[in-house]
Amino acid sequence: MTHIKAVIVEDSRLARNELRELIKKYPQLEVIGEAENVDDAYTLIQETRPQLLFLDINMPEKDGFELLEMLDHIPITIFTTAFDEYAIKSFEYNALDYLLKPINEKRFAQAIEKIEEKLNAQKEEPVLENRRLTGNSQIFIKDGEKCWLIKIGDISHFEIVGNYTRVFFQDEKPMLYKSLNQIEEKLPQKYFFRANRQQIINTNYIVDVVPWFNGKLKLTMANGDEIEVSRRQSYLFKDKMSL
């Protein structure tokens, strides 16, 4: 049986107690900490590194989405919310589950099943040094009214736009309020590559490579975007890809 360390982030003491009562029925779950606001939750998660997060969306001062934006390493997250319409509107694309309050026991059991499946899938991937992300790690992006929790491996490329970074995956390209350098420090080097000063690409999404001017290369990505690899990076790219 998988042992799962969990943290509860919820401003209502009553709701925290209800969650704890539900969790007691699952010996594989261990609550290692609780927080009633985002700043305390951030500190707790950084210190304890839980695998699972039960997260209230609506809290005073900062909400649950803001907590996810603060974290580099996001645990598997189950949102708990009393706001059905708000939750559904927000999860335009996601790998999340969410539980409506008051939480139904059967629905809770389904969520735990999903969590165990996801953790078993993650076991296949080795832990990387320097706390870099893996292909199965997730990043959270909130752009306007939309939210996404995206697997790193599903992102085809990143591009600088002023102080923001545009993230390309599927047919989406939301903005993330982080610099490209900050993102690069965390990405798995196995398949992410800095093509030039503006862009980082996921080599799994390259569909074509052609020689370009002055020793450069031009890459075509799966979504049709063309990316020019700088001359210096072209040498490194050829070496990395054994071209």
Side-chain angles (χ1 to χ4, degrees), residues 214-230:
N214 301 324
K216 297 176 184 175
L217 295 170
K218 188 169 76 169
L219 313 176
T220 305
M221 305 305 290
N223 70 345
D225 282 2
E226 292 184 340
I227 290 174
E228 200 174 287
V229 185
S230 70

Side-chain angles (χ1 to χ4, degrees), residues 148-240:
W148 298 266
L149 194 61
I150 312 149
K151 254 173 59 172
I152 289 290
D154 290 343
I155 295 169
S156 68
H157 53 299
F158 297 88
E159 184 175 274
I160 289 176
V161 182
N163 294 326
Y164 290 79
T165 296
R166 194 181 289 287
V167 183
F168 294 81
F169 59 96
Q170 296 186 350
D171 295 328
E172 305 285 355
K173 41 185 181 184
M175 298 284 221
L176 178 62
Y177 188 53
K178 282 189 178 173
S179 74
L180 200 60
N181 289 343
Q182 280 176 295
I183 292 166
E184 186 177 22
E185 284 169 11
K186 298 287 179 185
L187 291 174
Q189 291 167 310
K190 185 177 169 187
Y191 40 78
F192 279 95
F193 181 80
R194 185 76 177 243
N196 52 55
R197 287 171 69 181
Q198 264 70 43
Q199 294 158 314
I200 294 173
I201 53 123
N202 182 339
T203 56
N204 292 329
Y205 286 84
I206 298 168
V207 293
D208 194 27
V209 181
V210 294
W212 207 233
F213 302 107
N214 301 324
K216 297 176 184 175
L217 295 170
K218 188 169 76 169
L219 313 176
T220 305
M221 305 305 290
N223 70 345
D225 282 2
E226 292 184 340
I227 290 174
E228 200 174 287
V229 185
S230 70
R231 189 161 64 172
R232 179 175 175 273
Q233 293 302 96
S234 290
Y235 293 119
L236 296 173
F237 180 80
K238 286 175 186 172
D239 190 44
K240 180 183 176 74

Side-chain angles (χ1 to χ4, degrees), residues 12-27:
S12 154
R13 191 159 59 98
L14 180 64
R16 290 199 303 275
N17 291 343
E18 283 177 353
L19 254 177
R20 269 204 312 273
E21 286 305 307
L22 282 167
I23 289 167
K24 272 182 190 171
K25 296 170 185 169
Y26 295 86

Side-chain angles (χ1 to χ4, degrees), residues 25-239:
K25 296 170 185 169
Y26 295 86
Q28 68 271 44
L29 295 184
E30 180 197 357
V31 177
I32 56 169
E34 297 179 13
E36 55 186 51
N37 62 61
V38 165
D39 290 329
D40 289 351
Y42 177 77
T43 304
L44 177 64
I45 291 164
Q46 295 295 89
E47 286 172 358
T48 60
R49 301 283 175 189
Q51 294 147 294
L52 175 61
L53 182 58
F54 291 100
L55 178 60
D56 187 16
I57 296 176
N58 292 75
M59 288 181 284
E61 294 174 33
K62 295 176 184 169
D63 65 21
F65 295 140
E66 286 174 272
L67 173 62
L68 293 182
E69 286 179 294
M70 290 161 71
L71 293 169
D72 283 328
H73 294 265
I74 298 174
I76 292 172
T77 303
I78 302 290
F79 274 133
T80 58
T81 178
F83 299 87
D84 188 3
E85 188 187 342
Y86 180 59
I88 289 165
K89 182 180 168 190
S90 297
F91 304 157
E92 195 82 15
Y93 168 88
N94 64 85
L96 300 170
D97 202 351
Y98 68 94
L99 299 169
L100 298 178
K101 299 174 191 171
I103 296 167
N104 170 295
E105 283 194 35
K106 188 179 171 190
R107 187 68 189 78
F108 188 79
Q110 290 169 348
I112 300 304
E113 241 176 76
K114 282 189 189 178
I115 291 159
E116 291 185 316
E117 280 171 22
K118 191 172 258 192
L119 281 171
N120 286 332
Q122 286 181 1
K123 275 182 191 167
E124 308 299 314
E125 200 159 74
V127 176
L128 298 184
E129 291 174 17
N130 304 326
R131 299 217 60 82
R132 278 187 178 268
L133 300 167
T134 68
N136 275 326
S137 299
Q138 300 175 115
I139 61 168
F140 180 81
I141 303 175
K142 187 172 191 300
D143 191 350
E145 283 299 304
K146 289 189 182 181
C147 298
W148 298 266
L149 194 61
I150 312 149
K151 254 173 59 172
I152 289 290
D154 290 343
I155 295 169
S156 68
H157 53 299
F158 297 88
E159 184 175 274
I160 289 176
V161 182
N163 294 326
Y164 290 79
T165 296
R166 194 181 289 287
V167 183
F168 294 81
F169 59 96
Q170 296 186 350
D171 295 328
E172 305 285 355
K173 41 185 181 184
M175 298 284 221
L176 178 62
Y177 188 53
K178 282 189 178 173
S179 74
L180 200 60
N181 289 343
Q182 280 176 295
I183 292 166
E184 186 177 22
E185 284 169 11
K186 298 287 179 185
L187 291 174
Q189 291 167 310
K190 185 177 169 187
Y191 40 78
F192 279 95
F193 181 80
R194 185 76 177 243
N196 52 55
R197 287 171 69 181
Q198 264 70 43
Q199 294 158 314
I200 294 173
I201 53 123
N202 182 339
T203 56
N204 292 329
Y205 286 84
I206 298 168
V207 293
D208 194 27
V209 181
V210 294
W212 207 233
F213 302 107
N214 301 324
K216 297 176 184 175
L217 295 170
K218 188 169 76 169
L219 313 176
T220 305
M221 305 305 290
N223 70 345
D225 282 2
E226 292 184 340
I227 290 174
E228 200 174 287
V229 185
S230 70
R231 189 161 64 172
R232 179 175 175 273
Q233 293 302 96
S234 290
Y235 293 119
L236 296 173
F237 180 80
K238 286 175 186 172
D239 190 44

